[in-house]
Amino acid sequence: MGHKAHTRRATTTVALLAAMVTGGLAAGCTGQHAPIDDGRGQLQTSPPGQDGDGSDDLSAPSVLAVKIDNAPGARPQTGIRSADIVYAEQVEGGLSRLMAVFATKLPKDVGPVRSARESDLELLRQFDKPVLAFSGAQGKLMPLINRAPLTPQTPGKVSGAYYRDSAKPAPHNLYLRPERLISSAPGADALTTGFQYGAAPSGGKAETSRTVRYPAASFTFTWSANRARWLVSMDGTPTVTTDGKRVVPATVVVQYVTIRPSAFHDFLGANTPYTETVGSGRAQVLRGGRAYDVNWKREKATDGTSFTTKDGMPVNFAKGQVWVVFAEK
């Protein structure tokens, strides 16, 4: 059930995005800190039809990536059990945010939806023009998002796709109806992540619990032999969705990466961390109640990420949802 990385984009597109990111970095060093969307101000959205190529072709098979609020006030979340992959990243103030990627199944609703970050563009380059659902972004970041090889979809752009739920206060109450953005789930072939699935590798060590800490957030994964899954807890509290069901990935990856300052800041002037997902390093794969020390590698943004043993052998994931938690080296 392995998925190979998709065909590389044209080099001109890569060069264009690189130039734009470079320009954004230069602009970010001026000390002018435009506010980023935290739900307290007006959403920064792009005009209709002004995405990466000037059109919104949502009929082509592509994954749906949704930025998910993970502040305590946003929990419990909706729809994340249906995601094929959940990425966890560090944001301002040492807090965390999620990106849920859907390919094989679309939930009826998903959220709460929050704003995008600069490093999302690099992470999403592994997919073939993914649809990115988010609430908005910092003003200087929106031009980079609009020109990236993805389809950005914000509340101001797609009528009827988003709604507010009165059960939670703003900004933790924006939800998405995925079927309003893509007509159907594109299927497993759209998951061009480089992940491979199959029998467990040999070796490893018994592991019943693993915690990853950010400055102001934590993730704990506890193995349940009865369910043959990892039970997720966040900030010391069991993670359930709005229907009361536990979040239970089959595989958890703790990927050690460089987390550096980005060119952007939030409305308080705090710098937004940039998570580098292109490069190489070490990781730990949790599956079947065991932990495997592995190496990860992603040579270019258009590539998926490979996970191998010290001998260079591919490491298979268990069939089911995968959580990837980006931890600082």
Side-chain angles (χ1 to χ4, degrees):
M1 188 175 168
H3 305 298
K4 296 182 180 179
H6 67 283
T7 305
R8 297 182 181 90
R9 310 290 191 278
T11 55
T12 53
T13 302
V14 176
L16 176 60
L17 183 62
M20 291 186 296
V21 172
T22 301
L25 290 173
C29 294
T30 63
Q32 297 177 353
H33 301 160
I36 200 161
D37 164 48
D38 71 333
R40 305 180 211 188
Q42 184 176 3
L43 295 178
Q44 298 285 342
T45 60
S46 56
Q50 296 300 309
D51 64 334
D53 63 358
S55 64
D56 286 343
D57 180 11
L58 302 183
S59 62
S62 182
V63 301
L64 170 65
V66 185
K67 290 307 299 277
I68 305 293
D69 191 349
N70 199 37
R75 304 171 192 154
Q77 290 113 339
T78 299
I80 62 173
R81 280 173 50 93
S82 297
D84 295 277
I85 306 166
V86 177
Y87 292 101
E89 63 181 347
Q90 186 182 152
V91 293
E92 301 83 8
L95 295 170
S96 63
R97 188 156 295 181
L98 308 178
M99 179 188 286
V101 177
F102 301 89
T104 61
K105 181 180 179 181
L106 295 179
K108 180 181 178 181
D109 306 276
V110 62
V113 181
R114 287 299 293 270
S115 54
R117 295 295 185 270
E118 183 189 9
S119 50
D120 297 337
L121 304 184
E122 180 176 278
L123 180 61
L124 289 172
R125 288 295 306 281
Q126 64 190 299
F127 302 111
D128 187 6
K129 199 171 184 185
V131 176
L132 174 60
F134 61 112
S135 64
Q138 201 249 38
K140 291 181 180 180
L141 178 58
M142 279 306 305
L144 300 184
I145 296 174
N146 291 335
R147 291 173 175 81
L150 53 79
T151 302
Q153 298 290 356
T154 55
K157 198 174 182 183
V158 187
S159 176
Y162 294 87
Y163 65 94
R164 294 282 181 181
D165 187 342
S166 61
K168 291 181 180 179
H172 311 301
N173 62 352
L174 179 66
Y175 291 83
L176 170 72
R177 300 180 179 94
E179 75 279 1
R180 302 289 180 93
L181 294 188
I182 60 177
S183 58
S184 62
D189 287 345
L191 290 170
T192 50
T193 56
F195 299 170
Q196 298 196 51
Y197 300 81
S202 60
K205 60 181 179 179
E207 188 79 64
T208 58
S209 182
R210 178 74 165 84
T211 297
V212 179
R213 300 186 187 281
Y214 292 165
S218 68
F219 297 88
T220 298
F221 303 93
T222 304
W223 176 248
S224 170
N226 290 336
R227 305 181 70 165
R229 291 290 187 271
W230 296 92
L231 306 180
V232 181
S233 296
M234 294 189 288
D235 302 333
T237 301
T239 301
V240 298
T241 49
T242 47
D243 58 5
K245 295 181 179 180
R246 289 294 302 266
V247 177
V248 286
T251 305
V252 176
V253 179
V254 181
Q255 185 174 342
Y256 293 95
V257 298
T258 297
I259 301 176
R260 59 169 174 79
S262 75
F264 303 99
H265 301 75
D266 69 5
F267 73 107
L268 294 175
N271 188 268
T272 302
Y274 186 103
T275 300
E276 295 185 1
T277 56
V278 172
S280 61
R282 64 187 182 93
Q284 193 171 59
V285 173
L286 309 178
R287 64 164 292 178
R290 301 188 71 81
Y292 301 87
D293 292 322
V294 304
N295 298 316
W296 70 268
K297 186 175 184 180
R298 185 181 176 203
E299 291 187 354
K300 297 181 292 298
T302 49
D303 292 338
T305 304
S306 64
F307 294 89
T308 58
T309 65
K310 293 180 179 179
D311 297 330
M313 298 298 295
V315 174
N316 292 331
F317 294 174
K319 182 179 179 180
Q321 187 179 80
V322 177
W323 274 58
V324 180
V325 182
F326 295 119
E328 192 165 11
K329 287 183 178 179

